[in-house]
Amino acid sequence: MCPFILLIVTIGNSAIILGLWPIHLFYTYYCLSRTKIFGPVLKLVLCICVLVILFLYPLIGFTSSAVGGAAYGFLAPMFATFRAVGRGKTNAFFHIIYDGTWDTVKRSITIIRDVRDVCYHSYFSIMDDLLIQEPPGANYYEIRLSSNPDSSSSDLSKPCLFPPA
């Protein structure tokens, strides 16, 4: 059962991640550049940092889908077997087989549906909130390198993030 569930979860989640990745890449930069709560220097720093995250995102997504699919494909049938025996069902053998196989397949498809909901609906909702937020008190968040009390104006190694005053 483990290889079958591994394939279902890995292929399903990887297709969602790979299919939405170009849109996530474009829309993340669009929202970061258009938001009003970050200043220009902070936007530049965030764009550089987000680039690393967005390029690691598919690799981490594929790997975690494979590991999660293997673990779920191995553990879910075992737990379903224990549940079927422990509940004292009348036809225990049938429920051991049925609950351990078909329910595991149905729940693995639910996992894929949940990943789709997060990658499609929740992501765009969060980015839309970032896009429409107004800065509190008409001041935006900014990184001021010269205002850091621990560094001189020429020391750029310790940027300091100051919230709006």
Side-chain angles (χ1 to χ4, degrees):
M1 196 68 192
C2 180
F4 185 63
I5 299 301
L6 170 97
L7 283 175
I8 290 174
V9 172
T10 304
I11 290 172
N13 289 348
S14 298
I16 291 168
I17 291 168
L18 197 59
L20 290 175
W21 184 74
I23 298 166
H24 285 181
L25 185 72
F26 170 76
Y27 200 63
T28 299
Y29 280 105
Y30 173 77
C31 289
L32 279 177
S33 65
R34 299 287 305 217
T35 187
K36 296 174 183 163
I37 62 172
F38 300 137
V41 177
L42 185 57
K43 285 181 184 179
L44 179 67
V45 170
L46 285 175
C47 285
I48 293 169
C49 293
V50 165
L51 182 66
V52 173
I53 294 170
L54 282 173
F55 277 111
L56 288 177
Y57 164 62
L59 178 66
I60 293 169
F62 299 156
T63 306
S64 63
S65 292
V67 171
Y72 187 73
F74 180 71
L75 295 174
M78 285 194 324
F79 290 142
T81 301
F82 293 136
R83 272 194 311 265
V85 172
R87 289 185 184 161
K89 295 186 178 181
T90 57
N91 194 353
F93 182 72
F94 170 75
H95 284 286
I96 288 170
I97 301 300
Y98 180 79
D99 294 349
T101 55
W102 185 242
D103 282 352
T104 304
V105 171
K106 289 192 308 188
R107 289 184 184 129
S108 66
I109 293 171
T110 303
I111 291 171
I112 296 168
R113 191 177 314 127
D114 291 343
V115 169
R116 182 204 60 196
D117 289 344
V118 168
C119 288
Y120 189 73
H121 300 292
S122 299
Y123 167 80
F124 289 109
S125 176
I126 290 168
M127 295 310 286
D128 287 342
D129 286 345
L130 177 70
L131 193 60
I132 63 173
Q133 279 184 349
E134 293 290 328
N139 292 329
Y140 50 79
Y141 291 101
E142 185 60 272
I143 292 179
R144 295 182 218 142
L145 298 172
S146 62
S147 297
N148 192 348
D150 294 338
S151 65
S152 65
S153 60
S154 63
D155 184 15
L156 299 178
S157 63
K158 299 179 185 177
C160 185
L161 178 64
F162 285 96

